[in-house]
Amino acid sequence: MGDCAVSAPTAPPPVRTDAAPPSQRAGRVGELRELAKTTPGVLVVFTVALVLVSILVGLFTAVTVQGRAKALDDLTARSGPLSIAAQDLYRSLSDADATANSAFLAGGLERAEVRTRYESDIAQAESALATAVAAREPADLADPRGPLAVLSRELSVYTGLVETARANNRQKLPVGAAYQRAASNLMREELLPAAERLYTDETAVLRADQDRAARLPVVEVVLGLITLVLLFFAQRYVRRRTRRRLNVGLLVATGAAVVSLAWVLVATIGVMANVNASQEHGSEQTDVLAQARIAALAARGDETMTLVARGSGKEFEEGYQDAIGQLAGDRGLLGRAQELASDGTVRDAVRAASAAQDDWHEVHQRIRQLDDDGVYLDAVDLAIDPGDTGAATKFDAVDNSLREAIVTTEARFEDEVGQASNALTGTVIGVIVLALVAAAGAATGIWQRLKEYR
Amino acid sequence: MKRTKVAALLAAVAMAAVGCTSADEVGDRREAPVGPPMPKGAAEVSDLPAPGTDKSCGEPTASLRPDGPPPPPGDFATNTAMQRIHARGKLIVGVDQNTYQFGYRDPSTGQLQGFDIDMAKEIAKAIFGDPEAIQFKVLTSAQRVPAVKNGDVDLVVETMTINCERREDVEFSSVYYLAGQRVLVKEKSGFDGIRSLAGKKVCAAKGSTSIARIVNVDTDPRPVGIGVDGWTDCLVMLQQNQVDAVSTDDTILAGLRAQDPFTEVVGEPLANEPYGMAMSKESPEFTRFVNAVLEQLRTSGRWTQIYNLWLRDLLETPASPPPATYRP
C-alpha cells in the first residue's frame, strides 16, 4: 500500500513577492564575479571550499566507516548467533524425532537416557526458537505460514502428541503407535521444513552482513582523493601567486588528509581480511558441516522409521539412501567439508565422521538384511542397542565428530569477526578529528597569505 | 473482531476504488490452522462402488474343497506352493499391526500378536512343524490385494472380507471368522447407528469394504467417508474430534473401544463380513491345503482356544467357528 498515493487537493501556486528587480540582481552577481577574479577573491573561495569539503568528506567517511562497523556488530550480535540458533533448532528437532521413534521401537518403558535426550532436545529447540523469535520484528511473525509462526504454533502440538503416545504405550494400547506416527508425520511435514527455511534465511542474512562488512572501500577512497586534489590545487595557486614554496597550514591539512585516508584504508583492508577469513575458515565450513549433521540425522530418522513401519517402510529406506547419498562420497557433504577444512582439528574430526559413517552404513546394511530375512527383533536390537556394535553408537560417533568440527569453525568465525571489530576501533573519531585538523590547517594557512593583501 | 473485518473490507473496497492492489495483504491475514494435524494419509473418500453388489462369482465364500486332512509337515509333493515355501524355510504373511486383539504390536515387547497372528502361525506349524517359522510383513488395508498379486507374501491374514470383487484378483480360504459392520461413536453423542450420521464424517481404512459401505448409505446427505491407513488412526481422529464416528467390523470396533472407555458401539449390523485368508490364484493346491488346516482347527477345538484367548473378553460372547462352504 506504501506506493499508493492519494493526491491531495492542490493549492494555487504561491505568488512570488520577494524577487528583486532584474537590473539590481545582475549588478550583485557581477560584483562577485569581479571579486573572484582577484587573487584575494580566489583565496577566499579556496578557503571556503577547503573547509567545507574537509568537514563534509570527514563526515561522509565517518558515516561509511560507521556502516561497516554496524555490519560487524550485526555479525557478532545478530546474524552470527541467529544462524547458530537456527541450526540448533533444526538439529534438535530432528534429533528429538529420531529419539522418540527409537524409544517407541525399543518397546516397553524407554530407557531413562533416551527420555532425557528427548527432553533436552525439546528444551534446546525451545530456547533456540525463543532466540530466533526475540530477534525478529513482530511483523515477521504475522504471516501464519512463515517459518517462525509455524514453529511456534506446532512445536507444542508435537510434544502433546508424543506425550499422548507415551501415555497410551504405558497402558500397552496400540493407539499409542498411531499417535507416535502422527507426531513424527507433523515433524516431517511441518516442523522440519519450517526449521530448514529458517536456517536458509538466517544463513543468507549472515552472508549478506559479511558482504556488507567486507565491501571494497570505494566511497572512502574517492572522498579522500577529492580533498587531496583540492589541497593540491590550492597549494599550487598559493605558490604561484605568493612565490613561497611552503605553506605550513596547507601542509598540515594535506598531512591530516593523507593520514585519514591511510588510516581508513589500513583499517578497512584489515576488516576485509578478517571478514573473508571468518567466511572461509568459519561460516562457510560451518554451513557445510551443519548440513552434513542434518543429513546424518535425517538418515538416522529414516533408519528407525523403516523398522517402525515393519515391512512397509520402503519410502523410509529410500529416504535413508537419499540422505546418505548427500552425505557420503567425494562429492558429498563430508567430502566437501574435508576439502574446505583449513584447520587440523576440523580435518581430523571430519575424517573421523567419514570413518564412522562408513561403519554405520555397514551396520545399516546388516539391519536391512536381518529385517528382510524376517529376523525383525534382531534388526531392531542392532538399530537401537546402545552397545559398541549398534547403529545408534555409530550414528552418535558421526554426530559427535561433526559437532566437534562445528564448535571449532564457529569459534574461528567469532574470533575473526571480533578482530575485525577491533580493527575499526577509534577510526570514526579519528576520521572526524583529522577532518577538523585539515579544515583548520587550510583556513589558517590561506588566512596568513590573505592578510598580506590588507 | 467483526468490526476489524468490516474495517478491512471497507479499506479494501476504498483502495480498489482508487485503483490500488491490496488483495495480497488482505489474503495474508487469513487464519492459521490450529490443533493437531490429521493422521498421515487421511483423506475424504467418495465415489466408491457399493461392496457386495458384484455377484458374478456366485456364492463368494465358497472356497476350494480340501483333499482330505493335511499331509504331515515337510511331506509335500514337488512343484507345490507348500514345497516351495518349505524349501525357503519360512512362511511370509501379510498382517496388520494396528488392530487390537487381531493383529497388533505389543508395545511392551514389540512382538506382533492377536487372533489373526495365531491363525497364521497355525498354517506355519502345518508346513514346518514350527509356528515361529514365519515372517510378517505389515500391510495397510489397501496394500493387501497388490501384495498377494505381486507375490510379496504367501498369505494375507488381516481381517479381510471375502467378496466377488476381490476374488477377481486373489483366492480366499474358507471363512475363518464371521464379523458384522457396526458403528463406534463417543458416549452420549446422540448417534444411534449409521443412518443417524447423514452428512457427518465417518472414518474407516482406505481400501476396506467398510469405507465403500459408508459412502453408499442412502441417507440425504450421505455420510462423508474419511479414509485412513490404519484402524487406530480412526480412533486418533475420533479422540481429536476430527470425525464423528468410526464404522467397520464389530471385532475391530471392539478393539478400539477397549482402548477408549468413553466410546460405545451402536446400531444394528449393516452387513455380514466373512473373513478369509487371501492367497494367489496361481496355486489352488495351497488354498486346498490351507482349507484342510482350517478344517482341523474347527474340529480339534483349537479355533475356540484361540478365540477365547483373544476375543472372548473383548466381544463378551462365546462363539463357535463359522462352517465352511466349498465349491469343487
Side-chain angles (χ1 to χ4, degrees):
Chain A
M1 199 168 77
D3 52 358
C4 169
V6 179
S7 57
T10 44
V15 184
R16 283 167 172 269
T17 51
D18 57 344
S23 57
Q24 205 178 326
R25 258 196 296 163
R28 263 189 221 159
V29 172
E31 261 173 55
L32 277 175
R33 257 189 212 138
E34 285 307 305
L35 184 64
K37 277 178 192 160
T38 64
T39 307
V42 172
L43 287 175
V44 168
V45 169
F46 263 124
T47 313
V48 172
L50 275 171
V51 168
L52 274 179
V53 166
S54 299
I55 290 175
L56 282 178
V57 162
L59 278 179
F60 278 126
T61 311
V63 167
T64 35
V65 171
Q66 184 58 39
R68 202 182 286 275
K70 174 78 174 49
L72 286 170
D73 272 357
D74 282 351
L75 277 176
T76 28
R78 196 187 166 278
S79 49
L82 271 185
S83 67
I84 293 175
Q87 178 206 319
D88 259 4
L89 182 62
Y90 195 174
R91 193 209 61 80
S92 46
L93 288 179
S94 311
D95 197 64
D97 189 45
T99 308
N101 281 331
S102 65
F104 167 78
L105 262 187
L109 224 49
E110 75 267 4
R111 282 180 297 118
E113 307 94 88
V114 175
R115 178 69 184 171
T116 311
R117 179 169 178 166
Y118 168 80
E119 280 166 349
S120 72
D121 279 334
I122 293 296
Q124 213 177 339
E126 274 167 352
S127 99
L129 182 58
T131 310
V133 169
R136 293 292 184 104
E137 304 294 323
D140 293 340
L141 296 166
D143 176 5
R145 287 156 299 173
L148 283 176
V150 171
L151 287 162
S152 320
R153 190 174 63 233
E154 303 292 353
L155 184 53
S156 59
V157 177
Y158 173 78
T159 52
L161 287 170
V162 169
E163 295 313 313
T164 311
R166 191 163 176 253
N168 278 294
N169 275 340
R170 290 212 154 192
Q171 299 172 67
K172 302 197 175 187
L173 299 178
V175 73
Y179 276 103
Q180 183 58 48
R181 277 199 303 273
S184 191
N185 189 47
L186 177 66
M187 179 60 87
R188 282 151 182 268
E189 308 269 305
E190 297 280 340
L191 285 161
L192 288 180
E196 187 178 7
R197 258 187 298 154
L198 183 69
Y199 176 67
T200 319
D201 290 355
E202 293 299 351
T203 320
V205 173
L206 178 80
R207 241 173 246 138
D209 283 347
Q210 279 173 325
D211 290 347
R212 207 148 54 88
R215 75 182 155 61
L216 289 170
V218 178
V219 180
E220 292 93 323
V221 170
V222 169
L223 288 172
L225 288 180
I226 289 174
T227 322
L228 286 174
V229 166
L230 197 59
L231 276 165
F232 170 76
F233 282 115
Q235 268 157 316
R236 195 174 68 169
Y237 186 83
V238 168
R239 197 177 67 213
R240 283 185 186 164
R241 292 295 148 135
T242 63
R243 300 212 178 85
R244 294 192 195 202
R245 290 230 147 224
L246 294 174
N247 177 306
V248 179
L250 285 175
L251 269 184
V252 167
T254 312
V258 168
V259 169
S260 171
L261 182 58
W263 186 346
V264 168
L265 273 180
V266 168
T268 306
I269 287 168
V271 169
M272 284 169 66
N274 284 132
V275 172
N276 287 333
S278 83
Q279 207 158 25
E280 190 187 334
H281 304 299
S283 55
E284 238 170 48
Q285 292 185 39
T286 307
D287 185 31
V288 174
L289 290 165
Q291 285 183 42
R293 204 172 175 202
I294 287 160
L297 269 163
R300 174 65 181 159
D302 283 332
E303 180 173 63
T304 48
M305 281 306 283
T306 314
L307 292 170
V308 171
R310 195 170 194 165
S312 45
K314 207 168 146 230
E315 53 172 318
F316 295 115
E317 172 59 13
E318 283 164 10
Y320 170 89
Q321 296 294 353
D322 276 359
I324 291 299
Q326 282 174 35
L327 191 64
D330 292 343
R331 317 244 81 220
L333 289 163
L334 287 174
R336 263 177 50 215
Q338 186 70 55
E339 219 173 87
L340 291 174
S342 50
D343 177 294
T345 324
V346 176
R347 217 170 289 135
D348 290 349
V350 174
R351 199 171 296 130
S354 291
Q357 191 265 317
D358 286 343
D359 290 353
W360 172 27
H361 190 59
E362 262 171 44
V363 178
H364 175 81
Q365 279 164 329
R366 284 223 306 285
I367 293 172
R368 291 314 320 142
Q369 192 64 49
L370 286 169
D371 188 23
D372 291 343
D373 289 351
V375 205
Y376 176 74
L377 292 178
D378 288 0
V380 170
D381 267 354
L382 195 55
I384 60 171
D385 186 73
D388 282 349
T389 50
T393 312
K394 305 292 182 202
F395 160 74
D396 281 347
V398 176
D399 191 54
N400 287 334
S401 298
L402 288 174
R403 193 194 55 212
E404 205 181 302
I406 288 175
V407 167
T408 312
T409 55
E410 277 174 359
R412 180 69 188 266
F413 170 86
E414 277 168 28
D415 184 40
E416 294 289 351
V417 173
Q419 282 187 34
S421 293
N422 288 341
L424 281 187
T425 312
T427 312
V428 173
I429 304 280
V431 163
I432 291 175
V433 169
L434 286 168
L436 292 176
V437 169
T444 28
I446 299 180
W447 181 248
Q448 277 169 349
R449 295 287 80 78
L450 208 52
K451 275 196 296 192
E452 291 164 5
Y453 288 88
R454 293 253 159 123
Chain B
M1 187 67 210
K2 200 162 197 176
R3 195 173 286 178
T4 48
K5 267 188 188 161
V6 171
L9 188 71
L10 284 178
V13 170
M15 281 187 285
V18 291
C20 299
T21 51
S22 66
D24 276 355
E25 246 183 322
V26 174
D28 272 347
R29 290 268 158 200
R30 73 168 186 208
E31 298 279 315
V34 289
M38 309 249 274
K40 184 176 187 182
E44 200 175 309
V45 175
S46 57
D47 293 333
L48 286 174
T53 46
D54 181 358
K55 297 284 181 201
S56 58
C57 65
E59 173 49 48
T61 59
S63 185
L64 297 170
R65 188 177 295 281
D67 312 318
D75 187 13
F76 302 111
T78 46
N79 261 335
T80 58
M82 295 78 83
Q83 191 259 333
R84 281 195 299 275
I85 293 166
H86 189 267
R88 185 206 293 143
K90 60 185 194 260
L91 177 70
I92 303 178
V93 185
V95 294
D96 191 12
Q97 63 173 349
N98 288 307
T99 309
Y100 198 46
Q101 306 299 63
F102 266 87
Y104 74 106
R105 181 181 181 279
D106 179 346
S108 62
T109 62
Q111 298 271 21
L112 292 174
Q113 57 188 27
F115 184 85
D116 276 347
I117 305 292
D118 277 1
M119 283 286 160
K121 284 183 177 173
E122 290 298 326
I123 308 293
K125 191 174 160 198
I127 297 176
F128 300 98
D130 172 12
E132 302 299 328
I134 198 164
Q135 176 183 348
F136 292 116
K137 273 206 163 135
V138 170
L139 303 174
T140 65
S141 295
Q143 288 169 337
R144 294 176 295 191
V145 169
V148 171
K149 274 179 82 176
N150 299 340
D152 295 340
V153 295
D154 301 319
L155 197 63
V156 164
V157 190
E158 194 178 334
T159 60
M160 191 167 178
T161 301
I162 305 171
N163 61 31
C164 287
E165 291 94 328
R166 287 175 177 162
R167 268 196 37 195
E168 284 175 20
D169 294 313
V170 300
E171 191 63 73
F172 280 104
S173 71
S174 60
V175 181
Y176 73 90
Y177 191 87
L178 191 60
Q181 181 171 355
R182 295 182 71 194
V183 178
L184 181 81
V185 294
K186 278 174 285 187
E187 255 182 10
K188 295 176 188 150
S189 64
F191 299 118
D192 58 5
I194 193 72
R195 302 198 63 83
S196 65
L197 286 155
K200 302 289 180 191
K201 288 181 176 169
V202 182
C203 181
K206 283 184 212 161
S208 66
T209 48
S210 313
I211 189 87
R213 202 162 272 129
I214 290 166
V215 298
N216 282 294
V217 170
D218 60 350
T219 49
D220 183 31
R222 294 180 174 197
V224 180
I226 303 291
V228 294
D229 285 336
W231 288 110
T232 39
D233 290 337
C234 279
L235 182 59
V236 168
M237 292 187 84
L238 189 68
Q239 290 180 345
Q240 292 180 346
N241 303 317
Q242 291 162 335
V243 296
D244 299 292
V246 183
S247 178
T248 182
D249 309 345
D250 47 5
T251 45
I252 298 173
L253 294 183
L256 298 182
R257 196 194 167 292
Q259 301 183 58
D260 184 347
F262 295 100
T263 59
E264 58 185 352
V265 177
V266 295
E268 288 303 305
L270 281 73
N272 279 336
E273 303 286 343
Y275 292 169
M277 301 182 181
M279 59 217 107
S280 169
K281 293 177 85 160
E282 309 286 311
S283 12
E285 76 281 5
F286 188 48
T287 308
R288 290 181 201 278
F289 170 78
V290 168
N291 283 341
V293 178
L294 289 177
E295 204 59 58
Q296 243 181 9
L297 296 179
R298 286 189 191 94
T299 49
S300 67
R302 178 71 184 135
W303 188 96
T304 316
Q305 239 180 359
I306 298 175
Y307 175 85
N308 288 345
L309 180 59
W310 298 110
L311 302 176
R312 180 152 181 185
D313 287 349
L314 189 72
L315 299 171
E316 295 164 344
T317 66
S320 51
T325 53
Y326 295 113
R327 61 184 202 270

